[in-house]
Amino acid sequence: MNGGGEALRRLTGTQEQPGSLRKYGQTLLNAKTGDFAMGAVLPLLVLIVWQAAGDFGWISTFFLPTPLMIGAALRELAISGELTEHVGISLWRALTGFLLGGSLGLLFGLLTGYFRKAEQLLDPTLQMIRLVPHLAAAPLIILWFGFGETSKTLIIANGAFFPLYVHTYLGIRSVDNKLFDVAKVLRFSPYKQLLRLIIPASLPNILLGLRLSLAVSWLGLVVAELIGSQSGIGFLINFAKQNSATEIIFVGVILFAVVGKLVDTFVRLLEAKLLQWRDSFEG
């Protein structure tokens, strides 16, 4: 322990409790485990009722396969290697589309948020384009670029652009103006002002935009693969529909949901790590 910490304890009359950090970590782990268990109650209950309804003949297993039937189909796809192939292709498409659209959204958000003239020049046009549902533009993109990978990447990028653009812009414009006055007093260069002031202060909004951008990218992937694709999770669903393999359709839907949830959880963990200084209400 450093001297400053020792002096502070002497002044306040407090002593460090042995194992206090370990106890805090264990308490936090128990709280997280309890939250996970509580969140798992409803899905488990739904699965139990769903399986029982299929076993007792209350529902048609052709239109609504039981969880065990879906699990068997998932296992067959995993053993054959199709599952890994289709999931990998879909993840690659989502990643490339997000990187293209998200990076452009971040760049334009920084420009319009920081420079007034850039806002006057670019924001009215971008806001007008934003009001066009990105899924409605998908047929036009396919008409222009065909059914290849380019059109799929652009459909995903189109959806990923605007959440990051809007929230980056709003994050910069919500920075306290007094901080800019302090930066002038300290004679920060524009580059240093961006790195030391603007980005840290607007980080909560940027991370929210990142989370929404990833979610919309995943939705764009669904549309891109369902409209026209020869591989990926969307293709798997389309192929199963043509062959009336309802359990495989459910496998595809569950894969979309699970992978999307995992990505969203990763961003939330990243947000908690980068914004650990923020003392916000957690309910």
Side-chain angles (χ1 to χ4, degrees):
M1 183 62 66
N2 58 43
E6 187 68 25
L8 180 61
R9 287 199 304 275
R10 288 174 182 173
L11 288 172
T12 57
T14 59
Q15 295 293 328
E16 184 176 317
Q17 297 295 326
S20 59
L21 291 178
R22 190 184 303 114
K23 291 180 180 179
Y24 173 75
Q26 186 64 39
T27 302
L28 184 62
L29 179 62
N30 291 338
K32 293 295 183 182
T33 304
D35 291 343
F36 176 81
M38 184 176 294
V41 169
L42 183 59
L44 286 175
L45 183 61
V46 170
L47 289 176
I48 293 171
V49 173
W50 183 358
Q51 182 65 42
D55 291 341
F56 288 105
W58 299 338
I59 58 174
S60 170
T61 55
F62 176 79
F63 293 105
L64 191 62
T66 63
L68 290 179
M69 294 173 63
I70 297 171
L74 178 64
R75 180 174 176 274
E76 290 179 8
L77 288 171
I79 292 174
S80 67
E82 291 182 76
L83 184 68
T84 305
E85 177 186 355
H86 290 303
V87 171
I89 291 172
S90 292
L91 286 174
W92 175 251
R93 286 171 179 160
L95 178 63
T96 53
F98 167 75
L99 289 177
L100 176 61
S103 59
L104 288 175
L106 180 64
L107 175 63
F108 278 83
L110 290 171
L111 285 174
T112 56
Y114 190 54
F115 298 104
R116 181 71 175 175
K117 290 184 178 180
E119 178 196 8
Q120 294 171 345
L121 176 65
L122 298 172
D123 190 64
T125 302
L126 291 175
Q127 291 298 337
M128 182 176 63
I129 298 174
R130 183 176 69 88
L131 295 176
V132 178
H134 80 278
L135 300 184
L140 189 59
I141 293 174
I142 291 175
L143 178 64
W144 286 344
F145 297 97
F147 286 96
E149 293 300 313
T150 302
S151 61
K152 296 178 182 60
T153 301
L154 291 176
I155 290 172
I156 297 167
N158 182 38
F161 176 86
F162 288 104
L164 256 174
Y165 167 73
V166 171
H167 285 85
T168 301
Y169 169 83
L170 291 176
I172 294 174
R173 290 304 173 93
S174 64
V175 175
D176 192 339
N177 199 45
K178 295 178 182 178
L179 295 177
F180 288 95
D181 295 334
V182 173
K184 290 178 182 178
V185 172
L186 297 176
R187 297 182 179 179
F188 278 8
S189 65
Y191 178 74
K192 192 173 183 180
Q193 193 177 72
L194 178 67
L195 292 183
R196 300 286 297 275
L197 169 64
I198 295 175
I199 291 181
S202 57
L203 194 58
N205 286 79
I206 293 176
L207 288 175
L208 176 59
L210 174 67
R211 188 177 175 187
L212 295 175
S213 183
L214 282 168
V216 178
S217 297
W218 200 238
L219 293 176
L221 171 71
V222 176
V223 173
E225 291 189 341
L226 287 177
I227 289 179
S229 179
Q230 297 300 315
S231 58
I233 302 175
F235 165 76
L236 191 67
I237 292 175
N238 256 339
F239 184 78
K241 180 191 69 174
Q242 294 168 6
N243 292 275
S244 300
T246 317
E247 62 276 8
I248 297 182
I249 296 177
F250 272 91
V251 169
V253 172
I254 292 171
L255 284 174
F256 274 129
V258 170
V259 175
K261 174 59 179 172
L262 289 175
V263 172
D264 183 70
T265 300
F266 170 75
V267 177
R268 291 186 65 179
L269 292 174
L270 179 65
E271 184 180 21
K273 177 68 175 178
L274 295 177
L275 301 179
Q276 57 184 343
W277 50 266
R278 188 173 59 173
D279 187 18
S280 57
F281 178 68
E282 296 182 355

